[in-house]
Amino acid sequence: MKKLILSLAVLVAAGIGAWFIWRPAAPAPDVAFTTIDGRKFSMHDLRGKVVLVKFWATSCVTCVKQMPDNIDTYNAYAPKGYETVAVAMSYDPPNYVLNFAETRKLPFPVALDVSGEIARAFGDVKLTPSAFLVDKQGRIIKRYLGDYDKAEFHAAIEKALAAG
């Protein structure tokens, strides 16, 4: 009886693991962004590009630490069809976000999520940094919370860029 229960537990665990690995990518919500300079666009407008939607805050130490890497990644991959949208959390004062973006010369769009609607659409994001890598067809293919492995992240971008 113990062997049967153990075997069933192993099968269930394997099935759950397989589901996480091979489940179909979920579509990214078709949210509208408004940038700090007033530009408006949606996720639908970004179809055909590999997009990183990054939720961040000026008060988030890890977010601030990651920004130079985000800039480098954007500069390296943007010519190949990569986009970053930095979404400032609703509690982040817009003047702080604007000052941060200007002083660090962020080369990618920085959007304000004043109402928290974008964060809610992406699964009610509360923790920063949270990021979603979206493929050319508008599907979320990777989720990142906190710090991440840069080599793995770049490999995921390259794979998504190479895909039709």
Side-chain angles (χ1 to χ4, degrees):
M1 185 66 163
K2 276 185 171 180
K3 284 186 178 185
L4 177 63
I5 292 172
L6 182 60
S7 296
L8 285 173
V10 169
L11 282 173
V12 169
I16 291 170
W19 182 82
F20 276 105
I21 293 169
W22 291 301
R23 69 182 163 164
D30 190 21
V31 295
F33 301 102
T34 301
T35 65
I36 55 177
D37 59 0
R39 193 165 51 101
K40 295 178 188 278
F41 60 95
S42 69
M43 281 301 300
H44 184 76
D45 297 329
L46 298 172
R47 287 275 170 94
K49 291 187 173 198
V50 173
V51 181
L52 182 71
V53 179
K54 176 157 185 134
F55 292 89
W56 69 289
T58 58
S59 59
C60 165
V61 174
T62 304
C63 301
V64 171
K65 183 184 100 173
Q66 287 178 346
M67 275 304 175
D69 287 336
N70 294 144
I71 293 167
D72 291 345
T73 299
Y74 175 81
N75 288 336
Y77 292 108
K80 300 173 185 173
Y82 173 77
E83 182 64 84
T84 297
V85 181
V87 180
M89 297 297 286
S90 61
Y91 55 79
D92 214 352
N95 58 326
Y96 287 23
V97 175
L98 180 62
N99 181 60
F100 186 97
E102 287 178 347
T103 58
R104 274 66 168 197
K105 296 180 177 27
L106 300 183
F108 39 78
V110 177
L112 297 172
D113 188 15
V114 179
S115 68
E117 183 179 329
I118 299 169
R120 281 190 297 280
F122 274 87
D124 205 16
V125 173
K126 300 244 188 264
L127 301 174
T128 57
S130 288
F132 300 82
L133 189 61
V134 180
D135 70 9
K136 294 175 186 177
Q137 289 75 40
R139 298 174 303 212
I140 297 170
I141 54 174
K142 290 276 188 178
R143 292 168 177 82
Y144 300 93
L145 177 61
D147 229 339
Y148 55 90
D149 180 87
K150 283 191 283 187
E152 185 277 327
F153 178 56
H154 287 184
I157 292 170
E158 290 169 13
K159 181 178 177 185
L161 287 170

